[in-house]
Amino acid sequence: MNELELKYGCNPNQKPSRIYMSDGSGLPIRVLNGKPGYINFLDAFNGWQLVTELKKASGLPAAASFKHVSPAGAAIGLPLNDTERQIYWANDYDISYSPLASAYVRARGADRMSSFGDFIALSDICDVPTAQFIQHEVSDGVIAPGYEPQALEILKGKKRGTYNVIEIDPSYVPAPVEHKDVFGITFEQGRNELNIDSSFFNNIVTENKNLPDAAKIDLAIAMITLKYTQSNSVCYVKGGQAIGIGAGQQSRIHCTRLAGTKADNWYLRQSPQVLGLQFQDNIKRADRDNAIDLYIGEDYMDVLGEDVWEHTFKVKPPVFTAEEKREWLSGNSGVTLGSDAFFPFSDNIERAYRSGVTYVAQPGGSKRDQDVINACNAHNIVMAFTGIRLFHH
């Protein structure tokens, strides 16, 4: 099969729609269940590239959670600690953990609000534990190189049998030149085949040059994630998972702030104040996520209101004060930050430092590079210049 008709394109009025191989060869995918749409396939193919590169860089299974052609989360299959299992709601179910399942839970859990209704990409054959975790999340579909028989049956049961399940041929190699039509005009460019590994970060330009191997892996995760994120973009990573992604902003500082806020929220979820919240028994996980997001906001009582919190919590939570939040966030450290293009001003470093950033990778090449380096030196941050931009559109 060298083409597949779709219901419509990005929007229902955009017809006809299809995916096909212009050279007449067969498509490298099989739809095992459901009817994936245009945006589903965009998410699936970008996600597949991301997770295969993460696995190549780390040697571990990888997973990504995509929404609107940018990753909401990405992670490798390191074990989850007790706190991570709690804040990702993984303890709600009696499911064992495989490395791939751990990667998925971490990719889906770091920014649960953005990942709601995502498209999942898995680097390895989907096993039963991974399918069981996917079963309980709101998601549009999944792409993987294969599925264990029982895992496939679990996934086929989602969304009343309409859940999108795509199998991709892991041996497929795309053509070295790619094309895209815009306004009836065809654009052509060479594929971005850049290999991101530990040597990518050898050019350390700061006074502090102590870049541990674990930080190199996290920086690789950040830069590979950015390679498939709509630009401008920055990515905060800690412990093998993206904890904050800022995508598609016109100003880099807005990317840094957006992603930094997400990284802060991830860390605030681990605070005693949030872990101690007592939800009503009938509250769904998505509603818990929304309530937590409001709770760690500036004034949750003004947003929730008396009637809402009574239906959400068993016990009225105390106000999580700004001072308490600042004190908790001051304990975060060892965070890595990647940027798809140079930082034009040092304000990005100042904002990143507030979110515990210790290691930075960016292309360099700004007229104000020295200002950015000076800001890193002032905070004892390690920064590497990669010399390579990673715009993605």
Side-chain angles (χ1 to χ4, degrees), residues 46 77 166 180 189 205 229 240 252 274 293 312 345 368 384:
N46 278 283
I166 302 170
K180 177 168 68 174
Q189 67 175 356
V205 296
T229 302
R252 188 151 306 276
V274 175
D293 188 68
T312 304
F345 299 99
R368 299 179 179 86

Side-chain angles (χ1 to χ4, degrees), residues 140-339:
D140 274 359
V142 57
I143 186 170
Y147 300 84
E148 292 180 355
Q150 185 182 348
L152 180 58
E153 291 307 308
I154 291 170
L155 296 172
K156 282 183 175 181
K158 277 182 68 67
K159 298 183 72 172
R160 299 180 181 179
T162 65
Y163 189 67
N164 296 311
V165 181
I166 302 170
E167 181 181 69
I168 186 164
D169 179 359
S171 67
Y172 168 68
V173 178
V177 177
E178 57 190 15
H179 304 84
K180 177 168 68 174
D181 287 354
V182 178
F183 196 52
I185 299 167
T186 299
F187 288 64
E188 179 180 284
Q189 67 175 356
R191 277 181 46 79
N192 189 352
E193 301 286 7
L194 179 69
N195 180 47
I196 298 174
D197 55 22
S198 60
S199 64
F200 200 63
F201 311 108
N202 285 344
N203 182 23
I204 298 175
V205 296
T206 48
E207 294 172 357
N208 185 349
K209 301 185 183 300
N210 181 24
L211 186 60
D213 289 342
K216 290 181 181 180
I217 292 295
D218 282 354
L219 284 174
I221 292 171
M223 302 309 278
I224 292 169
T225 299
L226 293 172
K227 191 178 172 185
Y228 298 100
T229 302
Q230 298 298 301
S231 299
N232 285 326
S233 59
V234 302
C235 180
Y236 293 67
V237 174
K238 184 174 182 178
Q241 64 187 52
I243 60 172
I245 300 170
Q249 303 301 304
Q250 289 76 21
S251 170
R252 188 151 306 276
I253 185 59
H254 290 151
C255 296
T256 305
R257 291 171 183 167
L258 174 60
T261 298
K262 292 182 177 185
D264 290 348
N265 288 349
W266 172 81
Y267 195 66
L268 286 168
R269 286 179 69 109
Q270 303 174 52
S271 66
Q273 289 88 341
V274 175
L275 293 178
L277 293 174
Q278 299 180 45
F279 291 96
Q280 297 284 0
D281 294 334
N282 61 342
I283 297 297
K284 296 181 179 179
R285 282 167 299 132
D287 293 321
R288 288 182 235 165
D289 292 327
N290 292 338
I292 289 172
D293 188 68
L294 294 174
Y295 178 68
I296 61 181
E298 291 187 5
D299 195 340
Y300 83 96
M301 283 304 300
D302 287 347
V303 179
L304 285 178
E306 292 286 338
D307 57 334
V308 177
W309 73 253
E310 287 180 353
H311 291 91
T312 304
F313 303 108
K314 292 179 179 179
V315 178
K316 181 179 178 179
V319 173
F320 196 175
T321 67
E323 292 76 18
E324 289 172 330
K325 284 182 280 190
R326 281 196 296 269
E327 181 180 0
W328 178 257
L329 288 172
S330 68
N332 196 13
S333 63
V335 179
T336 64
L337 173 66
S339 177

Side-chain angles (χ1 to χ4, degrees), residues 67-93:
K67 284 285 292 292
H68 295 290
V69 205
S70 281
I76 56 177
L78 295 173
L80 287 85
N81 60 39
D82 291 340
T83 301
E84 288 170 336
R85 286 196 289 268
Q86 186 173 350
I87 66 174
Y88 300 158
W89 312 126
N91 289 335
D92 286 3
Y93 310 102

